[in-house]
Amino acid sequence: MLYLIGLGLGDVKDITVKGLEVVKKCTRVYLEAYTSILTVGKQALEEYYGRELILADREMVEQEADEILRGADITDVAFLVVGDPFGATTHSDLVLRAVNAGIQYRVIHNASVMNAVGCCGLQLYNFGETVSIVFWTDTWRPESFYDKIKRNREMGMHTLCLLDTSYFFQRGRKIYEPPRYMSVNQAAEQLLEIVKNRRDEDTVCVGLARIGAEDQAIIAGTLQHLACCDLGGPLHSLIITGHLHPLEVDMLRLFATQPDSLQSLTTTDSSTYTS
């Protein structure tokens, strides 16, 4: 059996009881190590699980999946994923390869950023399409994600923006440089560059950092406010609000950075706010 096991968002104890039981009995346990990070390292996970973990980088998962699946038809193999296996990043390819090889699989779910963002008070069923914001370079400044944000806002929907996690490696050599993690203020600055002539600078947004950890941070304010904020270490997410219910507004006030952070909100009717 191939088990895909979600590890949740915070520390070693966020794995489910069911997931931990499976990890302890598997012949091999892989830790997917490129789509996200936990607030603890591989060694802390090994100590808590009582098992050695094999790091599975992007190259292994995408090009050497047969090694992960080796023997999974006669023994149990676990593939650990930060968050949920089918949350922000899916691993459908690995499942399809397993099925084509006649290997059974089972998914053990856990919390993901896709549902945990509800901690800021915005109602999950009011979210539209999720987007990714990547680091710009001197020669590459994609803006296509903004069109999706705009469509969501036209429908009154919130937009969850997943912020870039970039890994670099030396060409021809498997030596990885320290990754970069986009912060809320970096994402806000790039968005301000895009909207500077569109009068969207006062849109109410929410910045979130390290969701699920003890030092979780949430901040609500305009795009301009968030461009100046510092939420500390990774991982960060950004939400662009659409139409807001009064209850959502009351919740956002708990995280407002300044007295005028939500001043740009206006009412369209007795139960709807917008910015």
Side-chain angles (χ1 to χ4, degrees):
M1 180 80 74
L2 171 68
Y3 289 93
L4 292 90
I5 303 173
L7 299 184
L9 298 165
D11 59 25
V12 295
K13 295 182 179 179
D14 283 349
I15 190 171
T16 63
V17 174
K18 184 185 298 182
L20 183 58
E21 290 175 347
V22 171
V23 166
K24 287 181 177 295
K25 75 172 186 177
C26 283
T27 303
R28 299 193 312 280
V29 183
Y30 292 89
L31 174 62
E32 191 259 59
Y34 66 91
T35 60
S36 190
I37 61 168
L38 281 172
T39 56
V40 295
K42 171 175 173 284
Q43 183 177 349
L45 294 177
E46 290 178 327
E47 291 175 357
Y48 187 74
Y49 299 162
R51 293 299 311 275
E52 179 184 356
L53 303 182
I54 305 168
L55 283 181
D57 58 20
R58 182 183 294 273
E59 182 179 350
M60 171 176 277
V61 176
E62 295 182 353
Q63 300 178 26
E64 302 172 16
D66 290 344
E67 173 59 24
I68 297 174
L69 298 176
R70 175 177 53 84
D73 55 336
I74 57 175
T75 189
D76 291 329
V77 175
F79 184 75
L80 311 183
V81 182
V82 176
D84 185 87
F86 293 98
T89 301
T90 67
H91 290 284
S92 301
D93 181 67
L94 189 60
V95 168
L96 292 172
R97 286 173 181 266
V99 172
N100 289 336
I103 297 169
Q104 297 183 57
Y105 76 94
R106 182 180 176 190
V107 180
I108 300 177
H109 294 282
N110 209 319
S112 162
V113 66
M114 304 293 284
N115 57 20
V117 293
C119 64
C120 72
L122 297 180
Q123 297 167 1
L124 292 178
Y125 54 77
N126 287 339
F127 279 78
E129 183 176 358
T130 299
V131 306
S132 295
I133 300 180
V134 300
F135 282 111
W136 281 350
T137 67
D138 293 338
T139 58
W140 188 59
R141 296 164 66 91
E143 299 184 2
S144 57
F145 63 87
Y146 177 76
D147 295 329
K148 296 178 181 179
I149 294 173
K150 184 179 179 181
R151 284 199 298 271
N152 283 344
R153 279 181 54 79
E154 288 172 349
M155 295 186 292
M157 310 298 284
H158 311 315
T159 306
L160 171 61
C161 304
L162 303 177
L163 307 188
D164 199 6
T165 301
S166 295
Y167 292 78
F168 302 93
F169 61 94
Q170 296 180 17
R171 189 179 299 277
R173 302 177 65 194
K174 197 173 179 181
I175 301 176
Y176 289 83
E177 298 178 8
R180 292 190 303 161
Y181 303 104
M182 180 178 285
S183 64
V184 164
N185 66 296
Q186 288 173 317
E189 287 172 355
Q190 288 188 187
L191 274 168
L192 285 172
E193 281 288 310
I194 296 172
V195 306
K196 60 185 176 182
N197 297 319
R198 304 178 188 178
R199 297 183 179 180
D200 287 340
E201 294 93 338
D202 291 330
T203 299
V204 170
C205 304
V206 184
L208 306 100
R210 302 171 303 283
I211 301 175
E214 290 186 5
D215 63 344
Q216 168 180 297
I218 304 174
I219 191 170
T222 66
L223 197 56
Q224 288 180 320
H225 284 146
L226 266 60
C228 302
C229 73
D230 179 6
L231 291 180
L235 290 169
H236 289 199
S237 302
L238 176 67
I239 300 172
I240 315 297
T241 64
H243 291 171
L244 292 161
H245 185 275
L247 187 60
E248 292 179 301
V249 175
D250 289 341
M251 285 295 294
L252 291 186
R253 287 197 177 103
L254 299 178
F255 310 111
T257 57
Q258 302 174 22
D260 61 343
S261 293
L262 305 183
Q263 200 169 27
S264 63
L265 288 175
T266 57
T267 56
T268 58
D269 56 49
S270 60
S271 62
T272 306
Y273 290 80
T274 188
S275 61

